[in-house]
Amino acid sequence: MNQEPRTSRVSENTEPPSRGPQLSEQVAQRLSDAIQAGEWSRGARLPTEAALGERFGISRSVVREAISMLRNGGLVTSRRGSGSFVAEAPTVSLRLAIPDPDLQSVVEVLELRRPLEVEAARLAAERRTPSQLRRIRNAMADIDEAVEAGLSGVDQDLAFHRAIAEAANNSHFTAVLDFYNRFLHQAIRVTRTNESLRDTFMQQVVAEHQAILDAIATGDAEAAARAAATHLEHAETRLRQAPTDLLERVEAQRGPASVSSTESTGGNSR
Amino acid sequence: MNQEPRTSRVSENTEPPSRGPQLSEQVAQRLSDAIQAGEWSRGARLPTEAALGERFGISRSVVREAISMLRNGGLVTSRRGSGSFVAEAPTVSLRLAIPDPDLQSVVEVLELRRPLEVEAARLAAERRTPSQLRRIRNAMADIDEAVEAGLSGVDQDLAFHRAIAEAANNSHFTAVLDFYNRFLHQAIRVTRTNESLRDTFMQQVVAEHQAILDAIATGDAEAAARAAATHLEHAETRLRQAPTDLLERVEAQRGPASVSSTESTGGNSR
DNA sequence: TTTAACATCTTGTCTGACAAATTCGGAGCA
DNA sequence: TGCTCCGAATTTGTCAGACAAGATGTTAAA
């Protein structure tokens, strides 16, 4: 019947939905534009799905898909029985593709992380609470424990660094570092698995961690920053010393259907 | 008839969908878990929507909503007539709420930006190409021009800093700084509009910018880092000196329908 | 072998219905 | 009057079935 609403229906607001990309995408874009143009202010209720469907000359399904996109984008929230509302605090999002990790992209990420971790260590030395200091100590002990148990200790290593970031008492540091951790997780796993076979490397790592911890414990901000900088420079060096191993492992993972031993998806975070 | 699939239907894979959050959310989560557990490898085609609906004991609508979420999350892509596929390079995303900016949250963001901008300046001094250097120079000239024209110069100021980040030749720096720029845009606008009325402030800013530019031009990495650090510390000082003004302006903006001119939903591409 | 038409499959959109939760107004009562 | 409680109306969430639009693979023809 109205399989051709684009010709028969007169939408009171805009031209008929043109052929092109996804219809629901167009609608989502137009809604987004309308919201950001201030047609509805923060926290205000949007028209009902039925009303929006009539306004744009489309079915409720498409309206729902469009609103679903905006909801995923953090621009609106919906409450069953009540309606959909413009979000009180719209969000921006930063996205990072996770390709098959190559040395180059890992190095670039580390380059960004270094100043962040250094600053986090500095702030942690100034601001850490006693309980946060305890947590850092425990995390460091966990690394030893894991390594002695024959594990790679990667998760524990990341937890150590995360505990420091938390002690900086600025949530943006943990947020950004967590964000890039998801990228680094796999690469670090490969490298450290390799490292863990070499005792000298592990001894270095332990000593460097200890230096950071000591500086944070005594509240020496500059020493903490220096120790962190040293640690991260050495980490990059260690990474570069095993490039062939890294690439081989990555290569090997691409072939088969990737049984992907990670299985840590829900592991450390959830 | 089967309005009660949660009791009558035996899903071959999991327990019946429990009462709780959104059904489509649960399904999206389980699909996401399955993908990251390697059930389908990168680029592989997912089961059809009908098949997934049967597997989870839900209707196609819910499957579609769930897949829509994953699509928005960059985890899958869909092609009409062909199917839905696991993304070749899955993405992780970092999200940041943009509330009514208060001094505290602005300071926290600046605290994170500082080490990043300092490092970017250092890298820019080492790596900038001649054309990148030209672009930084032009951006700096644009600030003067805008200020003399009576504008706030905020956009040009951000462009200057962005040009430096670009000259670091590491895309992660521009990505993260752009990300937080969207948060700071409004706050900076308010503050600088205020600053621009005070010539002393503008003279300071110009001098500090000049110092950064000179260091980058001569390739002195440490001097560039120092100059950037100084600039950002002073910027924070200037910000703190006008807290009452900032808060008043923010307060005033909450009333009307808040014509926010920035940012788009799915990104800057469309 | 190459090309063109066809059958089939899959996602996108439309329609209609009911379930579940919220909102609002009025009945009843103190 | 002011308050509580209950039911009707409203609105999003889910279900079901259908067709449109595009992709894929097969078959028939040249």
Side-chain angles (χ1 to χ4, degrees), chain A:
Chain A
M1 186 183 300
N2 49 7
Q3 291 296 87
E4 292 285 333
R6 39 204 170 285
T7 63
S8 64
R9 173 98 65 161
V10 177
S11 56
E12 56 174 307
N13 188 32
T14 66
E15 74 272 30
S18 64
R19 279 298 111 229
Q22 287 305 107
L23 186 48
S24 49
E25 253 181 72
Q26 302 176 41
V27 175
Q29 186 61 52
R30 300 216 299 226
L31 275 176
S32 167
D33 290 346
I35 289 174
Q36 284 168 340
E39 179 158 348
W40 305 286
S41 53
R42 291 188 179 186
R45 191 170 69 202
L46 299 180
T48 69
E49 293 172 350
L52 286 175
E54 189 163 350
R55 165 167 170 177
F56 290 117
I58 56 178
S59 74
R60 207 187 135 204
S61 323
V62 179
V63 174
R64 284 189 58 76
E65 286 231 13
I67 289 183
S68 168
M69 294 181 197
L70 302 189
R71 202 167 32 229
N72 288 328
L75 209 61
V76 309
T77 60
S78 298
R79 288 198 296 276
R80 164 188 257 177
S82 182
S84 292
F85 302 79
V86 178
E88 293 284 354
T91 66
V92 293
S93 65
L94 173 63
R95 289 169 62 163
L96 176 66
I98 304 186
D100 302 304
D102 59 308
L103 186 60
Q104 170 67 11
S105 57
V106 170
V107 167
E108 283 183 356
V109 169
L110 290 181
E111 212 166 69
L112 182 97
R113 278 185 62 108
R114 191 175 20 134
L116 289 179
E117 295 230 37
V118 168
E119 185 72 8
R122 186 199 317 273
L123 293 175
E126 294 172 350
R127 301 178 178 171
R128 88 288 184 288
T129 66
S131 79
Q132 284 171 335
L133 181 58
R134 261 200 313 280
R135 225 166 300 161
I136 298 174
R137 280 217 169 85
N138 291 340
M140 189 165 161
D142 289 344
I143 299 178
D144 287 341
E145 213 169 285
V147 170
E148 285 179 12
L151 303 176
S152 73
V154 173
D155 292 331
Q156 290 75 16
D157 192 302
L158 290 178
F160 173 77
H161 285 275
R162 192 181 200 289
I164 293 176
E166 279 176 7
N169 285 299
N170 179 335
S171 60
H172 297 304
F173 280 89
T174 54
V176 174
L177 291 175
D178 280 348
F179 175 66
Y180 283 103
N181 271 348
R182 309 243 285 277
F183 175 92
L184 292 176
H185 195 78
Q186 189 175 359
I188 293 180
R189 173 188 302 277
V190 173
T191 312
R192 175 58 56 83
T193 299
N194 197 288
E195 280 187 16
S196 68
L197 298 178
R198 314 180 192 181
D199 286 343
T200 51
F201 273 4
M202 274 316 289
Q203 286 177 1
Q204 275 184 27
V205 170
V206 169
E208 291 166 13
H209 281 176
Q210 187 68 53
I212 300 174
L213 173 57
D214 289 345
I216 291 177
T218 60
D220 188 337
E222 289 314 310
R226 276 196 309 273
T230 301
H231 175 51
L232 291 164
E233 281 159 19
H234 289 182
E236 187 174 330
T237 303
R238 287 190 287 270
L239 175 69
R240 285 182 180 282
Q241 284 183 358
T244 55
D245 292 7
L246 173 67
L247 295 182
E248 282 169 15
R249 297 289 284 267
V250 169
E251 194 78 16
Q253 280 190 341
R254 299 193 57 178
S258 155
V259 181
S260 157
S261 63
T262 46
E263 41 112 0
S264 63
T265 304
N268 45 11
S269 58
R270 264 177 264 285

Side-chain angles (χ1 to χ4, degrees), chain A residues 36-37, chain B residues 185 189 258-264:
Chain A
Q36 284 168 340
Chain B
H185 194 79
R189 173 189 302 277
S258 153
V259 181
S260 88
S261 58
T262 30
E263 58 178 312
S264 60

